[in-house]
Amino acid sequence: MEYFTNEVIEQLNYYVFRLVDPRNGQTFYVGKGKGNRIFAHVNCALDSYYDINYLDKNEEQENLKYQTIRDITNANLSVINIIHR
C-alpha cells in the first residue's frame, strides 16, 4: 500500500505509527501523522535514492532512517507500517 483513500484518512484522523525492518522485526522509526504521512518517509528516501535528492546531508538521524529504508528496498523487501491509534 502506498497511500490511504480519502475515506480512510477521514476515519483515521491523527495516529502514531512505527516503521519496522522486516529483516529483523525491529522498529527503526516512530512518528505521529495525519493523512498519508506514514508513507512519506519511504517515498522521500526512495526519491532521494533515485537522484531527486533534497535532503540536508547534515541530518544524521534522517540519513540513517533513509539508509535503512534503502537497504530494505535493496533486499527486495518492503518496510512494515504499523499504526497505533
Side-chain angles (χ1 to χ4, degrees), residues 43-54:
N43 292 335
C44 185
L46 296 181
D47 282 351
S48 64
Y49 188 56
Y50 299 122
D51 283 338
I52 308 172
N53 195 348
Y54 50 88

Side-chain angles (χ1 to χ4, degrees), residues 1-19:
M1 176 180 285
E2 295 179 11
Y3 62 90
F4 294 131
T5 64
N6 288 336
E7 182 178 291
V8 171
I9 290 171
E10 193 173 301
Q11 292 292 319
L12 274 177
N13 204 5
Y14 285 96
Y15 53 88
V16 173
F17 65 93
R18 293 188 296 138
L19 302 181

Side-chain angles (χ1 to χ4, degrees), residues 59-72:
E59 297 178 8
E60 188 174 323
Q61 185 176 6
E62 289 294 302
N63 286 335
L64 179 58
K65 174 180 62 179
Y66 294 143
Q67 187 58 53
T68 301
I69 293 169
R70 291 180 193 125
D71 291 344
I72 292 167

Side-chain angles (χ1 to χ4, degrees), residues 22-82:
R23 300 170 298 172
N24 58 19
Q26 292 185 355
T27 297
F28 65 92
Y29 184 80
V30 176
K32 176 184 174 192
K34 183 176 182 177
N36 286 306
R37 179 67 177 143
I38 191 170
F39 306 110
H41 302 284
V42 172
N43 292 335
C44 185
L46 296 181
D47 282 351
S48 64
Y49 188 56
Y50 299 122
D51 283 338
I52 308 172
N53 195 348
Y54 50 88
L55 299 176
D56 180 356
K57 292 296 182 189
N58 295 325
E59 297 178 8
E60 188 174 323
Q61 185 176 6
E62 289 294 302
N63 286 335
L64 179 58
K65 174 180 62 179
Y66 294 143
Q67 187 58 53
T68 301
I69 293 169
R70 291 180 193 125
D71 291 344
I72 292 167
T73 300
N74 286 337
N76 292 319
L77 297 169
S78 298
V79 172
I80 298 169
N81 300 309
I82 299 175

